């Protein structure tokens, strides 16, 4: 009803309090970074942006500024899976060996095979990173300079990781638990899933995500490899107040974390996921929100929400309200968060051109833990 719409508009809006909080996070942390937040519901979209693009380009960011979205890429990959399953091209319970070269020895556990659904729900039994990928050794350090040197080392090292190594790492893996049994977050599994879907569709992962999702939603500020025009709208990432070099994740790992986007584009993605715009992937998006597995995280949330896993998304529920969400963080100094409340038709996206050490957006996923996350969760529920 009109009354309900008016009420909703009063409640669901970017308040002065939220703006002040964002300003203080950017100004008081000496981050030199920027934050953009976007809200969407049936009444439309709202944005607030604060901070500069970069030292070289000291203009204020806006809804069209481009950032890396890190692991939010994983839900694009799982929506591709749901879409291909809808088209009858794959089945969720297909063993992954069906789609890989016969030379690849896919590990099993007591005869249990890894399925496409296991990869999408982080229940494959695979480690977070492939063993020969340098990230398998990555540990953050609190020492600022050492931390920056470390990030630079890993950014450089990642560039050389190949599909042959991905296959080798899979062949050499010993599963520690039965596929489908327990949730263990795996970038390795998500990377493999994107690669399998690309192989099956006969095109690169970039092309696949572009054709099946980005073009469908008109997300023309979103891509893995940025055009020159897009690069001119890129906010540079930061760690400890220092700018970091731009990084394109290696091809094998791309489906788990390589997308860049703007908050305006990500609100299109949120709108489609909420069913506010009608497209041919609405069904796949809806299917990607269905709870499949317990996360084993229990009450990891500070507001009595319990975490479950759907196809790629984290589902937080207090068994009345369900929040569909994911976060992202990259080594070149960005972190991000997207959340949807399907029953209230609300979506929120927030991205910072800073590491979560400096401005913590990614951990909003775990519920209210500081002023910013409290303000965001209050808007969601």
């Amino acid at each position: 009803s009109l009354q309900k719409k008016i009420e909703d508009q009063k409640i669901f809006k970017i308040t002065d309090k939220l703006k002040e909080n964002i300003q203080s996070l950017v100004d008081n942390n000496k981050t030199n970074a920027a934050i953009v937040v976007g809200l969407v519901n049936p009444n439309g979209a709202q944005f607030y942006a604060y901070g500069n693009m970069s030292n070289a380009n000291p203009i204020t960011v806006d809804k069209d500024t481009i950032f890396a979205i890190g692991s939010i890429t994983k839900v694009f990959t799982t929506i591709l899976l749901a879409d291909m399953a809808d088209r009858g091209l794959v089945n969720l319970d297909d063993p992954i060996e069906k789609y890989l070269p016969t030379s690849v020895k896919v590990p099993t556990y007591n005869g249990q095979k890894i399925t496409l659904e296991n990869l999408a729900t982080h229940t494959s039994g695979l480690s977070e990173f492939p063993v020969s990928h340098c990230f398998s050794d990555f540990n953050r350090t609190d020492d600022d300079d050492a931390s920056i040197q470390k990030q630079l080392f890993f950014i450089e090292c990642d560039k050389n990781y190949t599909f042959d190594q991905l296959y080798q790492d899979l062949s050499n893996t010993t599963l520690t638990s039965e596929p489908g049994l327990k949730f263990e977050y795996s970038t390795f599994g998500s990377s493999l899933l994107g690669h399998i879907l690309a192989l099956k569709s006969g095109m690169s992962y970039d092309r696949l995500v572009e054709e099946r999702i980005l073009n469908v939603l008109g997300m023309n500020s979103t891509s893995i490899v940025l055009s020159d025009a897009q690069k001119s709208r890129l906010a540079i990432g930061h760690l400890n107040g220092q700018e970091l070099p731009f990084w394109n994740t290696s091809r094998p790992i791309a489906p788990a974390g390589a997308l860049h986007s703007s908050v305006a584009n990500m609100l299109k993605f949120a709108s489609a996921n909420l069913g506010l715009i009608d497209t041919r992937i609405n069904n796949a998006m809806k299917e990607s929100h269905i709870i499949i597995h317990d996360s084993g995280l229990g009450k990891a949330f500070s507001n009595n929400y319990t975490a479950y896993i759907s196809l790629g998304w984290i589902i937080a529920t207090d068994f009345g309200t369900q929040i569909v969400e994911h976060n992202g963080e990259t080594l070149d100094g960005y972190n991000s968060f997207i959340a949807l409340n399907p029953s209230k038709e609300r979506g929120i996206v927030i991205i910072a051109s800073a590491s979560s050490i400096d401005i913590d957006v990614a951990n909003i996923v775990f519920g209210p833990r500081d002023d910013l996350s409290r303000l965001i969760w209050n808007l969601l529920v």
Side-chain angles (χ1 to χ4, degrees), residues 93-344:
D93 55 6
D94 285 341
I96 64 171
E97 66 200 37
K98 180 177 175 181
Y99 301 103
L100 291 167
T102 48
S103 57
V104 180
K105 185 178 134 308
V106 181
T108 58
Y109 190 94
N110 290 345
Q112 278 289 105
K113 296 181 173 186
I114 299 171
T115 66
L116 294 176
E117 185 184 283
N118 296 154
L119 295 181
T121 54
H122 300 281
T123 56
S124 62
L126 293 171
S127 55
E128 177 162 13
F129 282 97
V131 67
S132 75
H133 192 286
C134 39
F135 284 9
S136 58
D137 289 336
F138 184 70
N139 269 315
R140 269 241 175 76
T141 164
D142 291 334
D143 173 347
D144 288 3
D145 290 337
S147 191
I148 288 171
Q149 287 317 309
K150 214 168 190 184
Q151 313 255 117
L152 296 178
F153 165 76
F154 281 103
I155 286 171
E156 202 45 50
C157 167
D158 166 72
K159 288 176 184 167
N160 305 317
Y161 190 73
T162 64
F163 284 105
D164 281 346
Q165 282 173 289
L166 186 75
Y167 286 159
Q168 197 65 50
D169 285 338
L170 183 63
S171 298
N172 293 340
T173 292
T174 304
L175 297 183
T176 51
S177 65
E178 189 181 300
L181 207 56
K182 64 176 185 186
F183 168 78
E184 280 180 283
Y185 191 78
S186 176
T187 290
F188 187 0
S190 302
S191 304
L192 207 48
L193 176 60
H195 178 55
I196 286 168
L197 299 178
L199 287 177
K200 177 64 183 163
S201 63
M203 59 180 104
S204 69
Y205 177 80
D206 300 39
R207 272 285 308 285
L208 183 62
V209 79
E210 197 178 312
E211 268 188 28
R212 303 274 164 85
I213 300 178
L214 307 180
N215 291 350
V216 172
L217 302 183
M219 293 177 70
N220 49 9
S221 293
T222 308
S223 62
I224 288 174
V225 179
L226 299 179
S227 66
D228 288 342
Q230 288 170 336
K231 271 191 182 148
S232 71
R233 289 191 279 131
L234 179 76
I236 301 298
H238 295 77
L239 173 65
N240 301 324
Q242 289 191 36
E243 292 191 350
L244 292 172
F246 176 72
W247 168 49
N248 263 125
T249 312
S250 64
R251 310 317 290 158
I253 307 297
L259 278 172
H260 301 84
S261 190
S262 67
V263 171
N265 265 204
M266 288 304 292
L267 283 196
K268 285 184 177 180
F269 183 66
S271 299
N273 270 282
L274 290 165
L276 299 178
I277 50 179
D278 194 24
T279 72
R280 65 169 183 261
I281 51 171
N282 277 35
N283 205 39
M285 287 180 155
K286 212 171 262 168
E287 285 163 11
S288 78
H289 304 164
I290 296 166
I291 288 174
I292 295 177
H293 212 280
D294 183 9
S295 71
L297 296 169
K299 297 257 192 264
F301 293 72
S302 36
N303 54 0
N304 286 325
Y305 279 66
T306 305
Y308 289 86
I309 305 301
S310 64
L311 288 181
W313 295 92
I314 294 168
I315 310 292
T317 180
D318 63 357
F319 305 101
T321 298
Q322 206 156 293
I323 303 297
V324 178
E325 55 178 4
H326 210 286
N327 61 1
E329 184 159 10
T330 68
L331 276 187
D332 55 342
Y334 303 89
N335 74 122
S336 53
F337 173 66
I338 180 172
L340 316 162
N341 180 336
S343 64
K344 287 195 170 175

